[in-house]
Amino acid sequence: MGDDVAATSTRTRLVAVLGSSGGNLRSHGGDDPASLLRDVNRQLEAAGLALGEVQFVSAQASMDGVSDSTPAQLWALVDGQPQVVAEGPLGEVNAAARDRDVRLSERVRAGEIDGLILISADPTGANAATVEAAVAADLPAAGTGGTSIATAQQLGLKLVAASGTTGTTSTTRAVSYVGGLARHWKIKYKPVLGGGSSAAGAGGGGPAWRRISIRGIMVGSIPAFIALALVLAVSKIPGLSAVNEVFETLMAGLPIVVAAVAARKVSALDEVGLVAGAVTGILGAKGGVLGGLAGGVLAGLLAAWLIRWTLAHRFPATTANIVTGAVAGLLPGLLVLFVLAPVTSAVGDGVKYSIEAALAFNSIAAGALAGGVIWFAIIGGVYHSVILPLVLLEMGQKGHSFFGAIDMVSLVMVSLGITLAGVVKPRTSGERALAGSGAAVNFFFGTFVEASYPFMFGDKRVFAVAIASATVGGAMAGAFTVEASAYLPAVVAPFVATNSAGMAASMVTSLALAFTLTYLINRHHVRRNPAPTT
């Protein structure tokens, strides 16, 4: 026995994963074995452990109501990566699993496997031989799945972390498994949240505060603001004034959306973070979009800490999820409601009044300045961290935005004009296709202004055209004091604007100017550089 301990201490401990897509588990990540196993592997690596084997049966229906004919797959470890090694009716896949189970049990008896993770496993069926060998070898195991875990305990398996599945995610279950094994082996383990796992959500790994990204949060929230703009457009149709109630409801819900997106991204806990953010947003809705942003970030930070704290103190995974989602939502929400809401609301009003004051002082100059600098903002990487938040902040205050109008007039329409000129009068044979695809996205979707970059950066004159056209279009938008939204089809944008005719005139002006001047530059270039004849 002493020799076995010494051997284990000189090599990386290997952990085998046994399980299935389960009954209740199937709706909690069991239907995505690749992500589920990837989450487990990431946490094992964070603890200095390694995945030694996988024996996972995935069925295309809940295990609570399957038959031998249900389509299924068997996942195993191939060249260090979980892969499908058998596929077919569940009866055949289970037979293949039992064959591999026997081979895995031999590895357990030989001392090659140091611990087990059970994920809705079958201790008396497809995983019986390995569980029996683990009991005899006194291996530690961690797992979830009420019925299967209870059965494993009855068989004498040493469970160092056990829980049900309800309310958990693939990430939090993996943290629970590895946390239990790490405590048993007395090894240092810091859970890794975020980065590389769909179950963990977007964002990088490391401390939660490093996942705070105003740009990422605002971009993730854009669909809700676009929905608001579309409802505003519909409400202007004669006879549909009743839609105003929908508009007001959406306006009130924007802080909730921003808080939920922020908490999910910062916590990297998927549903748990999402719920925490939603609770915070509901409580702090009076603080406006900025209140939702602040509350969501705080909820995400607290959730990331709470999930580690609860699991480190041996809370069952289900309880850890519930406590994390509830407490991380309530505390920041109450803070925003009673302390921060007046401040964030005042800041939001201040931004709105500042823009209105600038327009009131000299709307043409304000529009020209905004149009002239917006290209430099997007090229310099400032757009998504400054301009876009301003657009969404304005929309959160009143449903439309001056900077939203500038975005459409001075960015999208100018890019459309430059790319259309590339379609009508291309400089080279391959330029037309490149310009055409960009122009189509600009017109039909109101985005991808970067499509004009090759033409702007390829000729300083075209770059100057872009700035000049954007400035003129912005001046016109200022003259009409028009407010609208970005990220909409060109034909829709005027209908969500506060001044449809003014918006349309501004758009057409910047489009026509960019197209005409770029067309003339392209024609001059072609004449100066005729294609070689053969």
Side-chain angles (χ1 to χ4, degrees):
M1 181 67 177
D3 291 341
D4 292 340
V5 174
T8 300
S9 64
T10 59
R11 66 171 174 81
T12 300
R13 288 185 173 91
L14 298 181
V15 178
V17 175
L18 312 177
S20 72
S21 52
N24 187 34
L25 175 66
R26 183 171 171 76
S27 60
H28 289 71
D31 58 342
D32 188 359
S35 292
L36 183 153
L37 295 170
R38 186 164 59 244
D39 280 335
V40 171
N41 193 33
R42 289 178 62 240
Q43 300 306 326
L44 287 172
E45 290 176 350
L49 306 173
L51 196 59
E53 186 54 88
V54 170
Q55 185 186 329
F56 190 91
V57 176
S58 174
Q60 290 187 11
S62 169
M63 289 291 187
D64 291 335
V66 295
S67 66
D68 284 347
S69 61
T70 301
Q73 296 175 328
L74 174 62
W75 289 71
L77 203 63
V78 179
D79 296 328
Q81 296 296 324
Q83 295 182 20
V84 176
V85 295
E87 191 167 4
L90 180 60
E92 295 179 8
V93 169
N94 276 335
R98 282 189 286 270
D99 289 340
R100 298 187 74 93
D101 184 46
V102 172
R103 294 198 292 272
L104 179 56
S105 68
E106 293 171 354
R107 293 187 62 192
V108 171
R109 292 190 178 92
E112 297 177 9
I113 299 296
D114 304 294
L116 301 182
I117 289 177
L118 277 61
I119 308 175
S120 295
D122 185 5
T124 59
N127 309 123
T130 298
V131 170
E132 181 182 356
V135 171
D138 197 32
L139 292 192
T144 52
T147 302
S148 64
I149 291 300
T151 302
Q153 287 177 316
Q154 290 175 347
L155 294 172
L157 188 64
K158 181 194 293 183
L159 268 298
V160 296
S163 173
T165 300
T166 301
T168 63
T169 68
S170 294
T171 300
T172 55
R173 284 192 303 274
V175 172
S176 175
Y177 304 145
V178 178
L181 293 172
R183 285 193 303 271
H184 173 76
W185 284 319
K186 294 180 174 59
I187 58 178
K188 185 178 180 181
Y189 164 58
K190 185 175 182 180
V192 178
L193 302 176
S197 171
S198 62
W209 61 266
R210 291 185 179 173
R211 293 190 290 272
I212 299 174
S213 168
I214 304 302
R215 169 180 176 171
I217 294 167
M218 287 305 190
V219 170
S221 304
I222 283 177
F225 290 86
I226 297 303
L228 180 73
L230 293 175
V231 169
L232 179 62
V234 172
S235 69
K236 294 181 179 180
I237 299 175
L240 293 180
S241 58
V243 178
N244 283 327
E245 184 177 349
V246 178
F247 176 79
E248 295 297 333
T249 302
L250 281 174
M251 280 280 289
L254 287 180
I256 303 173
V257 173
V258 173
V261 172
R264 182 181 185 274
K265 287 182 177 292
V266 174
S267 69
L269 288 175
D270 207 15
E271 291 96 336
V272 177
L274 196 66
V275 170
V279 172
T280 294
I282 292 169
L283 289 173
K286 291 183 179 179
V289 170
L290 286 179
L293 176 63
V297 168
L298 292 174
L301 292 171
L302 183 57
W305 178 81
L306 272 173
I307 196 66
R308 291 188 176 101
W309 185 88
T310 51
L311 292 175
H313 287 76
R314 305 194 180 192
F315 281 54
T318 295
T319 306
N321 276 259
I322 293 172
V323 169
T324 297
V327 175
L330 280 172
L331 294 184
L334 292 172
L335 178 65
V336 174
L337 177 62
F338 293 115
V339 179
L340 299 181
V343 178
T344 57
S345 181
V347 172
D349 288 339
V351 171
K352 180 181 72 172
Y353 295 144
S354 297
I355 294 172
E356 291 175 351
L359 291 172
F361 178 75
N362 191 324
S363 61
I364 296 177
L369 178 62
V373 303
I374 197 166
W375 273 106
F376 295 103
I378 194 167
I379 292 170
V382 179
Y383 172 87
H384 289 93
S385 57
V386 177
I387 304 298
L388 180 59
L390 280 176
V391 172
L392 301 186
L393 187 57
E394 278 192 276
M395 292 186 67
Q397 293 283 336
K398 48 193 174 181
H400 36 70
S401 162
F402 173 67
F403 277 98
I406 294 296
D407 185 301
M408 178 59 72
V409 171
S410 298
L411 284 180
V412 177
M413 288 298 100
V414 170
S415 177
L416 177 59
I418 292 172
T419 51
L420 278 178
V423 173
V424 177
K425 193 66 176 179
R427 299 185 181 202
T428 63
S429 58
E431 193 173 88
R432 177 174 279 119
L434 176 65
S437 61
V441 177
N442 290 161
F443 182 79
F444 290 108
F445 302 99
T447 186
F448 191 39
V449 299
E450 295 85 354
S452 57
Y453 280 4
F455 314 105
M456 292 171 61
F457 297 150
D459 191 322
K460 293 180 180 179
R461 295 173 297 174
V462 177
F463 189 96
V465 164
I467 304 305
S469 303
T471 302
V472 172
M476 286 196 64
F480 289 110
T481 59
V482 65
E483 296 180 345
S485 173
Y487 299 96
L488 290 171
V491 294
V492 175
F495 297 100
V496 305
T498 53
N499 184 334
S500 297
M503 182 67 175
S506 303
M507 292 170 63
V508 170
T509 298
S510 57
L511 167 64
L513 190 59
F515 171 80
T516 302
L517 294 178
T518 305
Y519 174 86
L520 293 175
I521 292 170
N522 288 356
R523 189 174 70 172
H524 179 263
H525 177 87
V526 171
R527 287 181 175 179
R528 291 284 301 271
N529 302 276
T533 57
T534 57

